[in-house]
């Protein structure tokens, strides 16, 4: 029988679990195949590995952009549902500073979608806002699955195979998962928990 983890550690890792669940569920919705999701309790980080066909042009890049945005969107929704607004804003800022990889990927995907645009130009900012709205819509629609997946991650730390599929369910944009392709990683060393800045308890609302 596993010994219960310290409350402070569980609290610090809960937003990380929601972050990874956000990536995974939105990717699943878009037809990607989720291979494995893990929480690293010692390093206080999470990672999500998935596969999808190579190529696929602009639609493929657009999907990658939505997935990259979904982690922070889910994380923020959880935090703002469980904290007073001022504290939630500070927490979100602290977690966001640790998630540099997502921001780098977001900029890369935006530039790939519009190579003529200058970095941080109004065109890219407008495209980013539209993508954020679209990703938020999927997160909101799939919130029940995100909560369930985050709960399972906090219990077992690593999810894959049939258990992961059963949580993700059949809630995909096309109704079916896409065939496997190149294995991609989201997270790895970037979705770090902010020790000492975490929810009071592991309750989930939303």
């Amino acid at each position: 029988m596993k010994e219960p983890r310290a409350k402070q550690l569980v609290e610090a890792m809960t937003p990380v679990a929601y972050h990874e669940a956000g990536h995974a569920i939105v990717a699943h919705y878009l037809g990607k195949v989720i291979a494995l999701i893990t929480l690293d309790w010692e390093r206080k980080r999470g990672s999500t590995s998935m596969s999808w066909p190579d190529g696929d042009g602009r639609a493929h890049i657009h999907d990658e952009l939505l997935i990259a945005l979904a982690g922070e969107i889910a994380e923020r929704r959880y935090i703002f549902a469980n904290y007073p607004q001022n504290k939630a804003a500070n927490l979100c800022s602290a977690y966001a500073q640790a998630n540099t990889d997502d921001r780098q990927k977001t900029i890369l995907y935006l530039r790939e979608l519009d190579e003529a645009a200058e970095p941080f130009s109004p065109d890219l900012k407008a495209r980013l806002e539209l993508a954020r709205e679209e990703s938020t819509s999927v997160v909101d629609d799939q919130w029940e699955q995100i909560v369930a997946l985050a709960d399972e991650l906090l219990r077992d730390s690593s999810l894959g195979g049939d258990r992961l599929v059963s949580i993700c369910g059949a809630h995909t944009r096309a109704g079916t998962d896409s065939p496997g392709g190149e294995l991609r990683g989201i997270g790895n060393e970037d979705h770090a928990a902010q020790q000492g800045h975490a929810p009071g308890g592991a309750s989930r609302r939303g």
Side-chain angles (χ1 to χ4, degrees):
M1 181 177 178
K2 295 181 181 178
E3 293 186 8
R5 301 184 190 276
K7 180 180 177 181
Q8 184 181 19
L9 179 57
V10 174
E11 291 171 351
M13 288 297 286
T14 298
V16 180
Y18 272 81
H19 190 118
E20 298 306 327
H23 283 316
I25 294 297
V26 171
H28 177 75
Y29 173 84
L30 294 173
K32 317 310 177 189
V33 179
I34 312 304
L36 183 67
I37 311 173
T38 59
L39 294 182
D40 186 335
W41 292 83
E42 291 186 4
R43 301 177 67 200
K44 303 178 181 65
R45 302 178 187 274
S47 65
T48 299
S49 297
M50 62 190 74
S51 62
W52 54 73
D54 291 332
D56 231 7
R58 291 173 61 83
H60 174 73
I61 298 170
H62 181 72
D63 283 356
E64 292 193 58
L65 174 59
L66 299 186
I67 294 165
L69 292 168
E72 185 173 342
I73 291 169
E75 177 184 286
R76 287 177 62 87
R77 175 168 172 171
Y78 167 77
I79 291 172
F80 273 97
N82 286 274
Y83 285 104
Q85 187 169 355
N86 288 343
K87 186 173 182 179
N90 290 335
L91 279 172
C92 287
S93 177
Y95 278 96
Q97 289 177 17
N99 297 333
T100 57
D101 187 59
D102 280 350
R103 290 197 297 276
Q104 291 170 352
K105 287 179 180 178
T106 295
I107 293 171
L108 172 64
Y109 299 148
L110 286 169
R111 294 301 307 279
E112 288 181 352
L113 288 169
D114 193 350
E115 294 180 0
E118 293 296 324
F120 309 110
S121 69
D123 287 344
L124 283 190
K125 290 179 180 179
R127 186 184 292 277
L128 174 60
E129 285 308 306
L130 288 173
R132 197 185 305 278
E133 289 176 8
E134 186 175 351
S135 188
T136 298
S137 178
V138 179
V139 167
D140 290 346
D141 184 62
Q142 303 296 311
W143 189 246
E144 183 178 343
Q145 282 71 41
I146 291 172
V147 172
L149 183 53
D151 284 343
E152 284 295 313
L153 277 172
L154 290 167
R155 278 193 286 269
D156 292 339
S157 301
S158 180
L159 287 173
D162 292 341
R163 288 184 60 215
L164 180 56
V165 171
S166 69
I167 297 170
C168 291
H171 299 270
T172 63
R173 176 177 55 185
T176 57
D177 289 334
S178 65
E182 178 190 3
L183 188 65
R184 305 294 293 269
I186 288 186
N188 298 323
E189 298 184 355
D190 303 292
H191 302 153
Q194 301 298 306
Q195 186 75 342
H197 297 281
S203 63
R204 260 72 66 191
R205 295 199 298 273

